[in-house]
Amino acid sequence: MVKFILKRLFYIIVVLFIVSFFIFWLYRSMPGDPALLMMQGSEQDMTREQWNAALEALREEMGLHRPFVVQFGIWLSQSLQGNFGFSFITRISVMETVRVPMLNTVIMNILNLILVFGITIPVGIRAAVKRGKGFDNGALFGSMIGFSIPTPILGIIFMVIFAVGLGWLPMTGMHSAIQPDFATEPWAFLWDRFRFMILPLATLTFVATAGLTRFVRSAMIDALSMDSIRTARAKGLKEKTIIYSHAFRNALLPVITVMTGWFIGVFSGSMVVESVFSWNGMGNVYRTALDQNDIPILKALTTFYALIAFVGFLIMDLTYMIVDPRIRFD
């Protein structure tokens, strides 16, 4: 197993290097002059000759006159040290720009992950066991709603119901205009932040559970029809043991595959929800960088999403071995 993990880590490093090369090439090939973009707004502070000299000096500092391979090598070397450059728009370092939004997105998606697993698995199992009955029909109806309503529209519906209609929750933003002090009122501070997270978190969770619940239900129905399950029932085993120890274990392999794909896409998929609710997360930062052609931020976030995908696939393979002892990575 250790040998397999080391081989996969080596594979991740090689593929990430190739992906990084194409990411750098893609954004470097986009039209526009990065140095000219950074110099915008400074024309009135100097003469034309001074401005042209400053522009050429900045191009030299950014290495734009060097060969493409040299530029990529410099960027890769700096990225491995945690230096992804500076934003073209704000002149702030990329790490400083994405630090807080990344933390916000990670916190919300971890909570989303917990909720989706906590809801999808028991509901999908019960729907399969109660196939054709009231609970199953209700679960299918709820998942159909989640499938049929686009995510932005669902977020707006939640805002209209819970923020405008009932007034229970704030509509958009990250915190109150006058927020509690964390040092003196830590619980009030955390509750204030959590209140603003509820609606975007509910939107993400509702959309994810709609598809995953149906998949868990389908996998469990297939597992419950296996000959080994009939044999277990004929031996007189308890129904709970049959469902959770035998059937669910056989249904886990396809479920893990689908949930891994969902986990990989959840970070980039939260972009729409963060935009709807004005949530200061990576999705909002990525969208803003796309609008403003802020190449350093785009390169850093795209590389991060690629890394998340590689790590997700490694976790999936290791989980296969835990769930099914017949799988060995020798």
Side-chain angles (χ1 to χ4, degrees), residues 20-35 59 62-72 75 88 293 295-296 298-299:
S20 300
F21 179 84
F22 280 103
I23 289 173
F24 185 86
W25 170 79
L26 176 66
Y27 287 119
R28 188 67 187 85
S29 303
M30 293 176 67
D33 188 340
R59 284 173 177 161
M62 297 175 67
L64 299 179
H65 297 305
R66 299 181 182 183
F68 172 80
V69 176
V70 176
Q71 293 182 43
F72 171 71
W75 175 77
F88 288 165
N293 200 24
I295 303 300
L298 292 175
K299 288 190 293 189

Side-chain angles (χ1 to χ4, degrees), residues 132-143:
K133 297 183 180 179
F135 185 88
D136 182 34
N137 294 331
L140 291 177
F141 178 75
S143 63

